[in-house]
Amino acid sequence: MIHAIKNFNKVFRKYPVAFGVILSSVILFADFLTGPVIRIPLLDIIPVTLMAWLGHSALAYAVAFLFSFARILFAYLWPGSDVLHVEIVNALLEVCALSLYALIFSKARTMLKVIALQREDIRHFHDFTETFGATMQGRAVSPGIAEGTAMIYKPLVPAGSDDVRIKRKDVEAEELRIDRAISAALAELKHFRKQLETCGSHKDMAFLDVRIAMLGDASLARECRGIVSTQLRSAEGAVQSEISRMELAFQKHEKAFMRARASDIRELGLLLLKNLRAPENSHPHALSSLQPKTIIVADDLFLYDALRMDLANVAAIVTEKTGPASHVAMLARARGIPAVCDIFGATNRFQTGVTLLVDGNEGSVMVGPTGMQAERVTL
């Protein structure tokens, strides 16, 4: 029984208009068969209110007029019926009542949506006011102190929707796309390494060299190309498959150092997918052009974020997950940008435009600091 109800609900939600039309037809047919003696006008309310509640107001009004017109039509068709003038009056009253129901339920749905949005806004405002003036403790990943304006950034992690089957004639083109994506990613990493070298960040360069070696390993391209040619999968599908296999292998390694490299593999995979999916007329990265003294607040920041960040205008970085060995942390230390991680719920508790004071020495973030508070921290 429960299974049948679930299936009915699924079909109803997928085809609400068809369901409303069928229900209206059944009610009209039953009403005609019962004749003028047995009247069931209350059932007319069901499809009308249903369509109005689901947002199909025009259809709800159309059904209301259809029922009313059918009343008059039935008066002609019912044998022995001699109350046509009564049916016309009833039909007029019914169309007014049903139209009123349609109006009420369509407006009620809109009002509930508005109320839900207002409640969400109030909740966000309440959360914000609770944190205003508060200091949140996290973990320092890059030293320094900076005050600026928060910008909430939510990176778009590439999805796997374009893992499709290809034709044999497309294999060579897909293999070429893989080679180009790897070459582009390597070029970006090497440019990133030069930035670190210029800043004298030799410790961070060692971490980056490991990732360059992983990406430059000929076996990565060979395995991806093999998946394309043998399984006839797109370049994206091949990269996802091979990266997942490598990440799992690193996670199961007996040495802790190798297990820690699993996250590096995942980031390299995301970078490759970004390069595979970047069209020539793609929109600029959200972090490539920032206002002066911007403090980036994010759940996590990936390698492709670090490579495209407008460093000249970044005052500080606050994240929930990004660790000290991430590319963003390396870049922050190399450029002297204060950075703090492990600020739980940062993207929900902060709002774009609020003033933050980031202390990369102590690993703390102050929301809406007063002049005296900022002065005490910077002393």
Side-chain angles (χ1 to χ4, degrees):
M1 182 65 180
I2 296 177
H3 184 67
I5 293 175
K6 287 183 178 179
N7 288 335
F8 172 78
N9 185 52
K10 185 177 180 181
V11 173
F12 169 68
R13 289 184 177 276
K14 190 173 183 180
Y15 307 105
V17 175
F19 181 83
V21 172
I22 293 173
L23 180 60
S24 302
S25 302
V26 171
I27 293 174
L28 283 173
F29 183 69
D31 201 14
F32 177 73
L33 290 181
T34 54
V37 179
I38 303 174
R39 307 305 303 276
I40 48 176
L42 285 177
L43 291 180
D44 302 348
I45 298 173
I46 297 175
V48 172
T49 55
L50 189 64
M51 293 298 98
W53 180 256
L54 293 176
H56 302 283
S57 300
L59 183 60
Y61 290 119
V63 171
F65 279 97
L66 172 65
F67 279 126
S68 303
F69 177 76
R71 298 292 177 204
I72 302 174
L73 179 62
F74 290 169
Y76 282 106
L77 299 178
W78 279 325
S81 176
D82 56 355
V83 289
L84 179 60
H85 61 285
V86 176
E87 290 298 334
I88 293 176
V89 173
N90 287 336
L92 292 175
L93 292 174
E94 184 176 357
V95 72
C96 292
L98 292 178
S99 297
L100 182 60
Y101 272 106
L103 177 64
I104 291 173
F105 276 82
S106 61
K107 295 296 183 183
R109 179 181 174 86
T110 304
M111 288 176 63
L112 287 175
K113 285 184 176 180
V114 172
I115 291 171
L117 290 174
Q118 288 179 340
R119 283 181 177 175
E120 186 68 16
D121 291 340
I122 291 172
R123 187 183 66 81
H124 281 303
F125 180 74
H126 180 264
D127 293 342
F128 171 69
T129 53
E130 279 191 336
T131 60
F132 197 82
T135 299
M136 300 181 188
Q137 190 62 42
R139 178 168 54 144
V141 294
S142 179
I145 297 173
E147 184 176 353
T149 304
M151 171 195 168
I152 307 300
Y153 170 68
K154 296 183 179 180
L156 297 175
V157 180
S161 58
D162 48 6
D163 179 9
V164 297
R165 298 293 174 178
I166 63 172
K167 296 180 179 179
R168 177 62 61 182
K169 63 182 180 64
D170 297 324
V171 168
E172 186 175 349
E174 292 299 298
E175 290 179 340
L176 184 59
R177 289 182 64 220
I178 291 174
D179 292 339
R180 287 175 175 172
I182 292 177
S183 297
L186 275 172
E188 288 178 312
L189 285 179
K190 289 177 180 178
H191 176 71
F192 187 32
R193 188 185 187 283
K194 286 183 179 179
Q195 288 183 301
L196 297 180
E197 187 176 13
T198 302
C199 299
S201 303
H202 301 293
K203 181 180 178 181
D204 290 332
M205 284 169 53
F207 282 104
L208 192 59
D209 286 337
V210 172
R211 294 164 192 181
I212 291 175
M214 288 179 178
L215 190 59
D217 190 344
S219 63
L220 174 61
R222 183 174 61 251
E223 293 297 330
C224 290
R225 290 167 64 96
I227 293 172
V228 169
S229 60
T230 58
Q231 301 180 22
L232 295 181
R233 295 171 68 179
S234 64
E236 289 85 354
V239 167
Q240 291 172 55
S241 178
E242 178 58 18
I243 289 297
S244 296
R245 185 195 66 78
M246 292 175 63
E247 185 178 1
L248 184 61
F250 273 80
Q251 288 173 346
K252 292 182 177 180
H253 203 281
E254 59 182 10
K255 294 183 179 179
F257 172 79
M258 298 300 289
R259 290 196 299 271
R261 304 279 72 77
S263 60
D264 297 342
I265 291 294
R266 180 173 178 270
E267 283 215 17
L268 292 177
L270 292 174
L271 178 60
L272 289 177
L273 288 175
K274 274 288 185 180
N275 282 317
L276 282 171
R277 296 168 181 173
E280 293 180 1
N281 58 346
S282 61
H283 297 291
H285 193 281
L287 299 181
S288 63
S289 181
L290 302 172
Q291 294 296 320
K293 294 187 177 181
T294 295
I295 295 179
I296 299 172
V297 180
D299 172 61
D300 201 356
L301 290 170
F302 300 104
L303 173 57
Y304 52 79
D305 296 317
L307 295 173
R308 292 160 177 79
M309 194 179 294
D310 178 12
L311 298 173
N313 291 318
V314 177
I317 299 171
V318 177
T319 63
E320 297 184 30
K321 299 177 183 177
T322 305
S326 68
H327 294 85
V328 173
M330 294 180 193
L331 192 59
R333 288 192 292 268
R335 291 300 186 94
I337 300 172
V340 175
C341 71
D342 293 349
I343 300 294
F344 179 73
T347 54
N348 294 322
R349 299 170 74 176
F350 301 153
Q351 290 185 353
T352 295
V354 68
T355 301
L356 298 179
L357 181 63
V358 178
D359 186 347
N361 301 319
E362 301 296 330
S364 62
V365 178
M366 186 177 295
V367 187
T370 64
M372 293 182 62
Q373 288 175 321
E375 190 175 334
R376 281 201 305 269
V377 173
T378 54
L379 285 177

